[in-house]
C-alpha cells in the first residue's frame, strides 16, 4: 500500500494534464424494427431442413416468453429447444447467427410480404386462401370451397410448407408469429387439415405489433484515419454539448491493462483510491499515445518487428496481441521500433515468401485466408457468406465423422476434388453410320495447307482460323431429310465446305427403317438411296452436291417429295433405271438401319442434331444464322485447347487427331440429359443406426435421415463375382417389380453389371397398389433370394425373375421353385418366400413416398445416393445409361474416394458402403472453387499456431498476413471470433514487407463482431454491438469511415460532430456516431439478346403489387450494369412505362425468384448478402428499328435522378418549373464535412439572390451530415 501511494504521489507532482479520456463510438442499426430471436432461430433451423423447422415450431410452444422471466432465461430456454437437433458446432453457429442478426432480414422479408397482402384491420394473425383473407378460422371453410376457382398463390423458395400435404389441395397461408398463444391454437387445426389432405399449409412470419427497438448490426469495420492537415477542412463553429452517455469507456473491464498496470485488479484491491487510479491511468494512456513522427530508418523494419512482437507472445494471446497492435498501430509504432528481429525469423519468412509467390501468387505484404483449403477472399466475401461456408463445411465434416472417418483422413477425403466437371459431354463420332463428305488429311483440295500440328503455335492475328491438314474440327449433321429445317442446315454445311473452312463434315440421315417402306413411297428413304448410289458411283462429296441439287428443287416452306429426288436423278443419270435405285429391290440401303440405331443409341435428343467434335449444340443455336457464328466461335475456342495440348506434348504429329479427341474424358457412349443435368439431388446417407426395414412399425416413426440409414442397413447386393472387392459404384433400382416396366429396369441393370466388376446392385420396391401377399410375388421372390442365397445364386435367380415370360408364369400360379437355379438352398428360400410378412415392402413403399417423393409404382435409379428420377412411363433407361452413370461416377468421384477409403483399412463390404455414402455427401455440396494444398510452409519461427481439441472434428485454418496492413486489422478480430466458434487447427504465417519508407498504417480500426449475444448485469439484452475507440490521442485530426459489405447503403443519422473532421481536443468526452442501413442494393446486368449488347438507357422499376414504382434505375453501357435500392421483402421488377416498355420485353431472367417462364419478375431480398440478377431483354417485333435514346420526351426524365439523388427546389414552385422545363437551372454539388456544407449554404443563398431563373439543387444524400439534413 505504501509503495502504491508513493507512486501516486510522485506522479501527482509531475502531472500537468487536465480533462478526461476521450472516445469515439459507432453503431449501425437497420431501418426496420427489431425482429424476435425466436423467429430468427426458426429460420436458421429451416436452412438445416424443413423437418427441423416444423419440429421447432411444435417444441417452441413450451418456451416461456420474456414476460415470465428475464431476457437471459428466455434466450437460453429457446436455445435449449433449438439445440436438441443440432451438433455442438451448429449450436455455436446458431448463437453467432443470432449475434449477427443475420436472419433478421429473412423475418423482415416475410413482414413486407404480409404488409403487401395487406393484413385485415385489427388482426394479430390472418389466413390467405388464394387471394382471399380472413382472421376467423370458422370462415376458412367457405373460402376453401370456392378456392379452386381462383389461381393458386405464388410460393417463394424460402416459404415454409408443411411436409405432409396433397399437391392438388388449396393453399392456405397462415401469417402469424410463432410463440404467440393464438398461433398454436390455429396451427394445430391447420396441421390436422393438412394431414387429412384437405389443404396445403404454408406458414409465413407476421408480427402484428413490431418492437420500437431497431436491430443493431455487426459484421462491418470502422476506420478512424489520421487526416492530412495541409489545408483547412475543419469548421470552427462550436458544437453544442451532446447528451450522449459517456459510460462507454469500460471501467468494468476486469483486466484493463495499461503499460503493465492491471487497473481492473487495482480498482478491486484499493476501492478507496478510485479517483487517483483514474488520474494515473489517464496519464499513462496519454504518455503512450504520443504520436511524434518516426525517422525513416526507424520505419524500415516495422513489419518484421511487429511480427516478432506477436510471435513472442504465448500462442493463446498472440491473436489478441496482433489485434491490439494492428488496430492501434499509430500509437504502438514507436514502442515496436525497439523490438529485435531474430535472424531465424527473418530467414524463415523470406523462405516462405518464395512459396507464397510461386504457389499462391502472393507478394510480400499480401494476405490470404484458407478454411479447409478454400480461399476466403476478405475483399469480396462478407461475414454472412463466411457463415455459409462454415455451415457447409460443418455439414460435410460432421457427416464424414459420423461415418467413422476422422482426423487427418477426414481432411484428405475433404480435399478430393470430385465436383462434376462443367465440360459438355460428347458422343463418339467414329461410327461407320456417319458418312463423311470430306477429309482434310487426304483430300487433294487441301494439299496446299501445312500438315504439321506445330503450325497451331505459329502466331496469327486474333480471330484468324488456321488452315491445317488435320481433322481438328469435325461437324456432324444428324437430320431427317423430310424435316423443313434440313435444307437450311445443309446449306450452312455447304457454305463451310465451299469456303474452305477447316471442317470435316459428316452426315447421318435418319429415315424410316422398316423393311416394307421403299424409296418410291418415302422421300427420306429416296434421298438416302440416291445419296448412297451417287457415293458409290462417284464419291461422298459428289453425293453431297447431288443432295444439295435435290433440295434446291424444293420451294421454301415445302417438304421434300419423292418427285424432287427422281427429277434430279433422271437429269444426272439418264441411262439408269430410277426404280433400281429407289425401288423395293434397291441395293443402296447402306447405313439406313445403322443411322437410326446410332441416333437412338447416342440419345442426343430430338432431330435435327448438330455435333461439333461429338458435342451437341443447344437447340437455340441451330438457327441457320446463329449456327454459322456459333461454329466459327467453337473452332476458335477448340483451337486454343489443341494449342495447349501441342505445347504440353500431349498431341504430336504422328497421332490420329480424331482418336485424341475421342479419348478425352468427356466422351461417353450415350448422352442422357437426365443423367448429365447439373441440377442434382442426393440422399443424406450420413445417418448411422441399427434399424432395419423389416420392423415396419418402428420404421414409420423415423425421420428421413434415419429411414435412409435403415434402408441402407437392410440392403443385400448383387455383384458380378462373389469376391471381396471394393466396388465404388452402387445402384439402387427403384420400381414395381411386379410390373413389366420395373422388371425391365432391373434386367438392364443386371445386364450392365455383367460387363463391370465395379458395380453393386440392390432393389427398392415401389408397389403400384397396396401390397398384399398375392400382388407382390416377384418382389417377395427377389427379396427372399437376396436374404437367403449367395450373391451369385441370387443374381442368377433374380435375372430369371426379371424376364417377362417367367414373371408372367409366376403370376399365373406356377410354382416358384420350378425356376430355382443350381446351387440354391431351396428349403430356406421357400420358407422366406412363403412367410406372410410384407413389412419390407410396406417400409419400401413409405420410403418411396416420403423420402424419394415418388408416386406409387414410379421408377427411379439411385446411384451412389444420387436420385435419378422419377422416370416417366415408357422412358428408356438402358444398359448404355447405366454404363454412362458408372463412367461418370468412376471419373469424378468413385475411384478417388475408393483409394482414400482403402487406405483406412475398412473391410470390403463396409468400404463399398462407405464409398457410396461419402460420394453422396461430397457430391451434394454446391460446386465451389478447388481446395488448395499448402503443406510445405515452414512454421517453426514465423507462424502463430493454435492446436485443435483432441477427438473432435476440426477446421484446418491457414492465414497468411502482414501484421501492419488493413487486412491484419480485419483478420485478427475475425480469427479471434472463429476461435470461440469452431474447433480449429490454426496457423497464421507472417508475410512481412521489408524496407518500408512510409508509415504502413495511418489509421485506427475496429471490426464489429461478437460470437454470441451479450447481456447486462441485470440479465437483460445488452444494447447491441458497437465499435469503441477508447483512449484516443487528442492531437491528430481524424476522419471516420465505415467498411460495410458491398450491397449495404449506410447513412449517418445522428451526431452533432463533424465525422469528417474529428478533433478530440475540442470534444467534451465521447463522439457517438449513429449510422443506419438505408437500403440493401439489388444489382444486375442486362443484355439485349438480339445484339448481345447492353440496351443503353433502358429503365427498370422496382415495386410491389400495391405500389408498382417505388424506385427506378437506368441500364449502363458498361456491362449492362444496373442498381436498385431495396430492403428485405418480395419485389416485382418491371420495364418502366413509356419507351422502355413500348420497345422492349423481358425475354428471360436468372438469379430471380420467379420461374423463368413467369411474366412477372419477382426478386426476394431476404438476407444481408449481395444479390445479383441477370436479365435478358428483346425488342418487340414491330419495334426492331426503334432507338431507345432517340426520343426520350415521353418519359418523365426526372424519375431516375429522383431515385438516385435528393432534390431541393429553389426560386419557384414545382408547377412553374414543369411549365417551363427548359429554363430550370440544375446545380449538382457534393459536399463533405461541416466546413464545406457551410460554404454550400452560402453558395445557395448567393445564387438564389442573384438569379431569376428557376433553380434545382441536387445533393448526394449519403455524403451529407445529419445536421445539414435536419
Amino acid at each position: 500500500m505504501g509503495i502504491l501511494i508513493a507512486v501516486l504521489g510522485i506522479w501527482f507532482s509531475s502531472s500537468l494534464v487536465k480533462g478526461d479520456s476521450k472516445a469515439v463510438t459507432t453503431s449501425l442499426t437497420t431501418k426496420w424494427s427489431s425482429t424476435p430471436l425466436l423467429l430468427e432461430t426458426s429460420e436458421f433451423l429451416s436452412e438445416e431442413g424443413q423437418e427441423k423447422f416444423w419440429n421447432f415450431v411444435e417444441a417452441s410452444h413450451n418456451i416461456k416468453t420474456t414476460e415470465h422471466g428475464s431476457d437471459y432465461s428466455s434466450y437460453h430456454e429457446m436455445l435449449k429447444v433449438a439445440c436438441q437437433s443440432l451438433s455442438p458446432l451448429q449450436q455455436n453457429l446458431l448463437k453467432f447467427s443470432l449475434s449477427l442478426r443475420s436472419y433478421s432480414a429473412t423475418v423482415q422479408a416475410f413482414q413486407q410480404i404480409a404488409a403487401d397482402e395487406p393484413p385485415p384491420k385489427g388482426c394479430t394473425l390472418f389466413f390467405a386462401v388464394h387471394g382471399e383473407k380472413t382472421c376467423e378460422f370458422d370462415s376458412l371453410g367457405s373460402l376453401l370451397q370456392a378456392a379452386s376457382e381462383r389461381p393458386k398463390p405464388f410460393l417463394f423458395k424460402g416459404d415454409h410448407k408443411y411436409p405432409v400435404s396433397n399437391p392438388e389441395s388449396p393453399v392456405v397461408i397462415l401469417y402469424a408469429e410463432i410463440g404467440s398463444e393464438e398461433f398454436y391454437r390455429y396451427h394445430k387445426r391447420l396441421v390436422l387439415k393438412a394431414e387429412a389432405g384437405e389443404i396445403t399449409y404454408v406458414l409465413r412470419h407476421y408480427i402484428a405489433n413490431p418492437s420500437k427497438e431497431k436491430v443493431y448490426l455487426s459484421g462491418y469495420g470502422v476506420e478512424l484515419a489520421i487526416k492530412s492537415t495541409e489545408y483547412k477542412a475543419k469548421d470552427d463553429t462550436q458544437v453544442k454539448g451532446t447528451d450522449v452517455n459517456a459510460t462507454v469507456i469500460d471501467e468494468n473491464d476486469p483486466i484493463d491493462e495499461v503499460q503493465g498496470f492491471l487497473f481492473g485488479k487495482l480498482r478491486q484491491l484499493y476501492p478507496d483510491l478510485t479517483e487517483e487510479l483514474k488520474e494515473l491511468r489517464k496519464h499513462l494512456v496519454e504518455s503512450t499515445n504520443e504520436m511524434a513522427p518516426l525517422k525513416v530508418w526507424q520505419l524500415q523494419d516495422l513489419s518484421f518487428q511487429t511480427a516478432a512482437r506477436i510471435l513472442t507472445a504465448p500462442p493463446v494471446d498472440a491473436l489478441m496481441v496482433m489485434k491490439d497492435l494492428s488496430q492501434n498501430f499509430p500509437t504502438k509504432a514507436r514502442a515496436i521500433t525497439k523490438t529485435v528481429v531474430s535472424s531465424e525469423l527473418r530467414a524463415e519468412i523470406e523462405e516462405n515468401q518464395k512459396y507464397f509467390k510461386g504457389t499462391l501468387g502472393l507478394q510480400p505484404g499480401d494476405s490470404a485466408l484458407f478454411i479447409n483449403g478454400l480461399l476466403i477472399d476478405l475483399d469480396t466475401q462478407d461475414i454472412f457468406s463466411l457463415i455459409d461456408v462454415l455451415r457447409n463445411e460443418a455439414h460435410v465434416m460432421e457427416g464424414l465423422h459420423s461415418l467413422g472417418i476422422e482426423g487427418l483422413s477426414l481432411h484428405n477425403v475433404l480435399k478430393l476434388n470430385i465436383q462434376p466437371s462443367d465440360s459438355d459431354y460428347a458422343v463418339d463420332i467414329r461410327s461407320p453410320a456417319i458418312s463423311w463428305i470430306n477429309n482434310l488429311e487426304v483430300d487433294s483440295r487441301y494439299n496446299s495447307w501445312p500438315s504439321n500440328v506445330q503450325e497451331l503455335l505459329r502466331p496469327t492475328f486474333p480471330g484468324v482460323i488456321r488452315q491445317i491438314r488435320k481433322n481438328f474440327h469435325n461437324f456432324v449433321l444428324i437430320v431427317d431429310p423430310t424435316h423443313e429445317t434440313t435444307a437450311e442446315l445443309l446449306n450452312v454445311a455447304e457454305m463451310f465446305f465451299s469456303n474452305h473452312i477447316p471442317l470435316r463434315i459428316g452426315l447421318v440421315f435418319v429415315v424410316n427403317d422398316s423393311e416394307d417402306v421403299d424409296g418410291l413411297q418415302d422421300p427420306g428413304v429416296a434421298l438416302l438411296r440416291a445419296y448412297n448410289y451417287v457415293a458409290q458411283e462417284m464419291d461422298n462429296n459428289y453425293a453431297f452436291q447431288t443432295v444439295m441439287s435435290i433440295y434446291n428443287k424444293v420451294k421454301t416452306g415445302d417438304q421434300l417429295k419423292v418427285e424432287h429426288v427422281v427429277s434430279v436423278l433422271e437429269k444426272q443419270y439418264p441411262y439408269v433405271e430410277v426404280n433400281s435405285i429407289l425401288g423395293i429391290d434397291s441395293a443402296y440401303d447402306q447405313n439406313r438401319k445403322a443411322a437410326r440405331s446410332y441416333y437412338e443409341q447416342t440419345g442426343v435428343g430430338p432431330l435435327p442434331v448438330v455435333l461439333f467434335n461429338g458435342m451437341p449444340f443447344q437447340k437455340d443455336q441451330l438457327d441457320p444464322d446463329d449456327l454459322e457464328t456459333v461454329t466459327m466461335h467453337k473452332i476458335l475456342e477448340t483451337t486454343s485447347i489443341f494449342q495447349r495440348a501441342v505445347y504440353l506434348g500431349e498431341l504430336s504429329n504422328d497421332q490420329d487427331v480424331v482418336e485424341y479427341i475421342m479419348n478425352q474424358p468427356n466422351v461417353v457412349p450415350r448422352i442422357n440429359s437426365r443423367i448429365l443435368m447439373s441440377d442434382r439431388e442426393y440422399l443424406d446417407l450420413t445417418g448411422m443406426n441399427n434399424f432395419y426395414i423389416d420392423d415396419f412399425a418402428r420404421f414409420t416413426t423415423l425421420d428421413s435421415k434415419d429411414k435412409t440409414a435403415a434402408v441402407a442397413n437392410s440392403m443385400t447386393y448383387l455383384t458380378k463375382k462373389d469376391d471381396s472387392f471394393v466396388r465404388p459404384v452402387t445402384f439402387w433400382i427403384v420400381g414395381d417389380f411386379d410390373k413389366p416396366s420395373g422388371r425391365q429396369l432391373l434386367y438392364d441393370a443386371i445386364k450392365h453389371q455383367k460387363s463391370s466388376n465395379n458395380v453393386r446392385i440392390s432393389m427398392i420396391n415401389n408397389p403400384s397398389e397396396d401390397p398384399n401377399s398375392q400382388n407382390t410375388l416377384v418382389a417377395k421372390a427377389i427379396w427372399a433370394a437376396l436374404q437367403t442365397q449367395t450373391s451369385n445364386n441370387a443374381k442368377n435367380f433374380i435375372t430369371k425373375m426379371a424376364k417377362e415370360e417367367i414373371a408372367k408364369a409366376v403370376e399365373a400360379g406356377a410354382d416358384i421353385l420350378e425356376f430355382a437355379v443350381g446351387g440354391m438352398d431351396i428349403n430356406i428360400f421357400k420358407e422366406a418366400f412363403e412367410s406372410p410378412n410384407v413389412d419390407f415392402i410396406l417400409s419400401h413403399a413409405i420410403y418411396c413416398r416420403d423420402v424419394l417423393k415418388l408416386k406409387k409404382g414410379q421408377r427411379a435409379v439411385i446411384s451412389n445416393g444420387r436420385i435419378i428420377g422419377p422416370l416417366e412411363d415408357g422412358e428408356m433407361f438402358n444398359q448404355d445409361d447405366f454404363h454412362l452413370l458408372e463412367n461418370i461416377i468412376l471419373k469424378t468421384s468413385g475411384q478417388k474416394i475408393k483409394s482414400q477409403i482403402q487406405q483406412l483399412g475398412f473391410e470390403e463390404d463396409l468400404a463399398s458402403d462407405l464409398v457410396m455414402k461419402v460420394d453422396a455427401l461430397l457430391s451434394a455440396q454446391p460446386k465451389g472453387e478447388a481446395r488448395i494444398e499448402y503443406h510445405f510452409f515452414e512454421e517453426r519461427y514465423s507462424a502463430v499456431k493454435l492446436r485443435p481439441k483432441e477427438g473432435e472434428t476440426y477446421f484446418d485454418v491457414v492465414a497468411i498476413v502482414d501484421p501492419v496492413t488493413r487486412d491484419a486489422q480485419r483478420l485478427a478480430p475475425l480469427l479471434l471470433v472463429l476461435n470461440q466458434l469452431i474447433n480449429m487447427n490454426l496457423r497464421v504465417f507472417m508475410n512481412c514487407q521489408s524496407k518500408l519508407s512510409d508509415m504502413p498504417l495511418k489509421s485506427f480500426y475496429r471490426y464489429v463482431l461478437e460470437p454470441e449475444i451479450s447481456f447486462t448485469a441485470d440479465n437483460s439484452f445488452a444494447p447491441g454491438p458497437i465499435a469503441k475507440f477508447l483512449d484516443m490521442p487528442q492531437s491528430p485530426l481524424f476522419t471516420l469511415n465505415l467498411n460495410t459489405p458491398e450491397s449495404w447503403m449506410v447513412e449517418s443519422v445522428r451526431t452533432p460532430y463533424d465525422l469528417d473532421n474529428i478533433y478530440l481536443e475540442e470534444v467534451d468526452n465521447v463522439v457517438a456516431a449513429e449510422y443506419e442501413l438505408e437500403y440493401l442494393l439489388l444489382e444486375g446486368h442486362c443484355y439485349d439478346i438480339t445484339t448481345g449488347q447492353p440496351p443503353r438507357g433502358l429503365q427498370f422499376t422496382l415495386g410491389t403489387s400495391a405500389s408498382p414504382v417505388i424506385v427506378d434505375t437506368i441500364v449502363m453501357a458498361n456491362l449492362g450494369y444496373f442498381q436498385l435500392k431495396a430492403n428485405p421483402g418480395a419485389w416485382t421488377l418491371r420495364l418502366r412505362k413509356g419507351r422502355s416498355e413500348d420497345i422492349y420485353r423481358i425475354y428471360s431472367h436468372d438469379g430471380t425468384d420467379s420461374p423463368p417462364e413467369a411474366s412477372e419478375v419477382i426478386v426476394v431480398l431476404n438476407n444481408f448478402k449481395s444479390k445479383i440478377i441477370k436479365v435478358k431483354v428483346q425488342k418487340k417485333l414491330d419495334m426492331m428499328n426503334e432507338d431507345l435514346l432517340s426520343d426520350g420526351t415521353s418519359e418523365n426524365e426526372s424519375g431516375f435522378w429522383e431515385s438516385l439523388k435528393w432534390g431541393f427546389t429553389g426560386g419557384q414552385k414545382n408547377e412553374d418549373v414543369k411549365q417551363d422545363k427548359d429554363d430550370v437551372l440544375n446545380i449538382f454539388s457534393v459536399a463533405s464535412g461541416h466546413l464545406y456544407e457551410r460554404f454550400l449554404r452560402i453558395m445557395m443563398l448567393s445564387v438564389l439572390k442573384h438569379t431569376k431563373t428557376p433553380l434545382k439543387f441536387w445533393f448526394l444524400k449519403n455524403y451529407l451530415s445529419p445536421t445539414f439534413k435536419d
Side-chain angles (χ1 to χ4, degrees), residues 772-787:
N772 57 47
S773 51
Q774 290 315 303
N775 63 9
T776 54
L777 292 174
V778 177
K780 282 181 71 175
I782 290 174
W783 175 257
L786 279 173
Q787 297 305 307

Side-chain angles (χ1 to χ4, degrees), residues 259-320:
Q259 284 200 18
F261 288 93
L262 302 177
F263 279 96
K265 201 81 178 148
L266 287 171
R267 277 195 294 271
Q268 281 178 8
L269 293 172
Y270 307 107
D272 49 333
L273 295 175
T274 308
E275 284 307 310
E276 289 90 334
L277 285 168
K278 199 170 172 184
E279 291 293 326
L280 172 60
R281 182 183 183 282
K282 184 167 174 296
H283 169 70
L284 291 174
V285 162
E286 281 167 5
S287 60
T288 351
N289 283 355
E290 178 193 353
M291 291 199 19
L294 298 175
K295 304 281 187 292
V296 174
W297 55 268
Q298 290 178 299
L299 291 168
Q300 285 205 346
D301 234 11
L302 262 179
S303 180
F304 278 95
Q305 288 171 318
T306 310
R309 173 72 73 87
I310 293 164
L311 291 160
T312 51
V316 285
D317 299 330
L319 287 178
M320 203 69 200

Side-chain angles (χ1 to χ4, degrees), residues 1253-1264:
T1253 314
L1255 299 173
K1256 198 176 227 183
F1257 293 103
W1258 301 87
F1259 304 118
L1260 285 172
K1261 189 181 176 190
N1262 304 28
Y1263 290 92
L1264 298 178

Side-chain angles (χ1 to χ4, degrees), residues 157 1082-1085 1122 1133 1146-1157 1161-1163 1171-1176:
K157 287 175 195 156
L1082 169 64
E1083 299 168 286
H1085 298 276
F1122 63 89
L1133 184 78
I1146 292 176
Y1147 175 78
S1148 70
H1149 42 90
D1150 187 26
T1152 59
D1153 295 84
S1154 45
E1157 66 281 356
V1161 182
I1162 293 173
V1163 184
K1171 179 134 184 153
I1172 299 172
I1173 61 175
K1174 291 190 179 73
V1175 181
K1176 289 180 181 170

Side-chain angles (χ1 to χ4, degrees), residues 94-138:
L94 167 60
K95 291 173 192 171
F96 185 42
S97 297
L98 293 175
S99 160
L100 269 176
R101 304 304 298 271
S102 54
Y103 291 96
S104 177
T106 319
V107 177
Q108 177 59 24
F110 282 116
Q111 190 73 350
Q112 185 271 340
I113 292 166
D116 196 39
E117 279 278 1
K121 284 201 166 53
C123 296
T124 51
L125 55 74
F126 64 97
F127 309 95
V129 184
H130 296 212
E132 295 286 323
K133 299 181 291 285
T134 178
C135 310
E136 301 300 324
F137 187 81
D138 301 336

Side-chain angles (χ1 to χ4, degrees), residues 638-657:
T638 45
T639 300
S640 63
I641 298 168
F642 289 126
Q643 284 172 322
R644 180 183 163 80
V646 171
Y647 180 74
L648 295 174
E650 293 169 3
L651 179 58
S652 60
N653 215 36
D654 52 358
Q655 274 176 277
D656 184 329
V657 177

Side-chain angles (χ1 to χ4, degrees), residues 1164-1196:
V1164 177
L1165 288 176
N1166 59 1
N1167 55 39
F1168 289 111
K1169 291 179 289 208
S1170 296
K1171 179 134 184 153
I1172 299 172
I1173 61 175
K1174 291 190 179 73
V1175 181
K1176 289 180 181 170
V1177 293
Q1178 186 182 36
K1179 278 189 175 176
K1180 293 179 178 171
L1181 282 175
D1182 52 342
M1183 292 285 185
M1184 281 299 177
N1185 302 320
E1186 287 288 328
D1187 180 16
L1188 196 61
L1189 299 174
S1190 63
D1191 174 20
T1193 53
S1194 62
E1195 291 204 23
N1196 168 13

